[in-house]
Amino acid sequence: MAEPAQTLDGWYSLHDFRAMDWTSWKMLPSEERASAISEFHRFLDRLNSTQDAKEGSHALYTIVGQKADFMLMILRPTMEELNELENEFNKLKIAEFTIPTFSYVSVVELGNYMPSEGDPYENPYVQERIYPILPKANHVCFYPMDKRRQGNDNWYMLPMEERRDMMRSHGMIGRQYAGKVKQIITGSVGFDDYEWGVTLFADDVLQFKKLVYEMRFDEVSARFGEFGAFYVGNLLKEEAISKFLHVN
């Protein structure tokens, strides 16, 4: 049996994708729409208070294309808190006019392929990686992925040293995009349909294309990567929510 990689796990993560039922939203009287928007802002204010206390984080983005209209990503210390917030959102008035299109449940993860000394959870670099405050970058890209388990391309049958060497090479590509792309890796084995979720943040949306394309030529992706659907979107600032939800 090949040696499993140990992981360092941090905050739990929920990616919640919704489509707007614009037809029904338009039929709502304008004063009720305004009330629903105000209630949504109060919900976000509570999320902001948690983030300010560094007890969790969140990000709100519109999604380009027909897969969804917006994504709310939430990080919290426990799975129970994620579920409570999901239910809290579902009880908002605005939720009556949304259609869930996709969700992803996972935990922020740092693969422990690199040897380290001492307690890694005491390392400030590790803490920043597994308990991240999500950036307010202009753009987001999310996709789930697996490692292939077929024939000679079975990642889980490779010796630890071989996997460690390949992950080191894989990681070097990502480091070339430091300062351009922030990457959050969340593990979902036993939590959702894929094994990992990858969330990328960047001010220049083309960096997503460049990074993912370059990584496709690396052996880890070329031989062993299986990818789900990609979601790309734009930052939805709180002061722009009313404009996003405005209808005539």
Side-chain angles (χ1 to χ4, degrees), residues 15-169:
H15 292 72
D16 190 345
F17 293 86
R18 305 279 177 132
M20 287 294 299
D21 181 354
W22 293 113
T23 301
S24 297
W25 179 245
K26 284 182 179 181
M27 295 174 63
L28 194 68
S30 58
E31 61 274 13
E32 291 187 39
R33 289 200 301 268
S35 176
I37 293 171
S38 295
E39 182 186 46
F40 185 35
H41 274 290
R42 291 193 295 273
F43 172 76
L44 293 174
D45 286 342
R46 293 192 290 276
L47 298 187
N48 286 330
S49 296
T50 301
Q51 182 165 276
D52 291 342
K54 297 185 177 180
E55 296 173 351
S57 190
H58 67 281
L60 181 63
Y61 283 79
T62 60
I63 299 299
V64 182
Q66 297 303 305
K67 295 172 185 172
D69 286 310
F70 68 90
M71 175 200 78
L72 179 61
M73 178 181 178
I74 301 176
L75 303 179
R76 283 297 182 272
T78 69
M79 192 72 80
E80 288 84 355
E81 289 172 274
L82 281 187
N83 197 203
E84 288 171 5
L85 287 170
E86 179 185 15
N87 290 331
E88 185 177 346
F89 177 83
N90 285 332
K91 294 173 185 176
L92 298 179
K93 182 67 176 178
I94 196 170
E96 298 177 19
F97 303 92
T98 68
I99 303 165
T101 60
F102 183 68
S103 68
Y104 206 77
V105 179
S106 52
V107 61
V108 181
E109 173 184 298
L110 187 59
N112 199 17
Y113 278 106
M114 306 302 175
S116 60
E117 297 180 0
D119 183 356
Y121 285 98
E122 298 298 324
N123 185 318
Y125 169 78
V126 171
Q127 290 189 355
E128 183 181 350
R129 290 287 301 273
I130 64 177
Y131 306 119
I133 299 300
L134 300 177
K136 302 296 184 186
N138 290 337
H139 307 285
V140 72
C141 174
F142 171 79
Y143 59 94
M145 64 168 296
D146 286 332
K147 286 292 198 301
R148 193 167 293 142
R149 303 189 298 277
Q150 299 173 355
N152 293 327
D153 295 332
N154 188 331
W155 176 261
Y156 295 95
M157 295 300 291
L158 297 179
M160 169 62 82
E161 282 304 315
E162 188 173 346
R163 282 180 282 136
R164 180 177 284 126
D165 289 344
M166 283 192 284
M167 288 303 295
R168 186 179 295 114
S169 171

